[in-house]
């Protein structure tokens, strides 16, 4: 239920970094199932923010990042969607 990135998560993001730096727009969609936690929206957004901070630290422009959330699906993750 944590929003903290693990070294495995960071490695996954680093593998996408060249594509993300070239992308025109990136959506970070945080997931937290509303039946698993009281304030699922906040948890989902916290996950997206955690990924956003990591990507900005790696040199991805904050201007092309946007955050969304999903509390309907039984997932606990962040989906990175991008367009070139």
């Amino acid at each position: 239920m944590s929003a903290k990135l693990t070294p495995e998560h960071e490695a996954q993001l680093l593998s996408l970094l060249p594509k993300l730096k070239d992308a025109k727009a990136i959506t970070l969609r945080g997931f937290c199932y509303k039946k698993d936690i009281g304030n699922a929206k906040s948890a989902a957004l916290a996950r997206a923010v955690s990924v956003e901070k990591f990507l900005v630290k790696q040199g991805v422009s904050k201007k092309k990042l946007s955050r969304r959330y999903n509390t309907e699906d039984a997932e606990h993750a962040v989906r990175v969607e991008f367009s070139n």
Side-chain angles (χ1 to χ4, degrees), residues 2-57:
S2 175
K4 185 176 179 182
L5 293 175
T6 66
E8 180 181 286
H9 297 137
E10 289 178 357
Q12 289 173 336
L13 291 168
L14 288 172
S15 72
L16 291 173
L17 202 55
K19 291 181 181 180
L20 295 174
K21 285 185 176 182
D22 289 340
K24 290 183 181 177
I26 303 166
T27 301
L28 306 172
R29 189 173 310 279
F31 287 83
C32 186
Y33 191 42
K34 65 184 177 183
K35 293 183 181 179
D36 289 343
I37 191 170
N39 195 345
K41 178 182 175 183
S42 290
L45 286 173
R47 291 177 176 147
V49 167
S50 182
V51 172
E52 178 184 62
K53 286 180 180 179
F54 179 80
L55 292 177
V56 169
K57 189 175 180 180

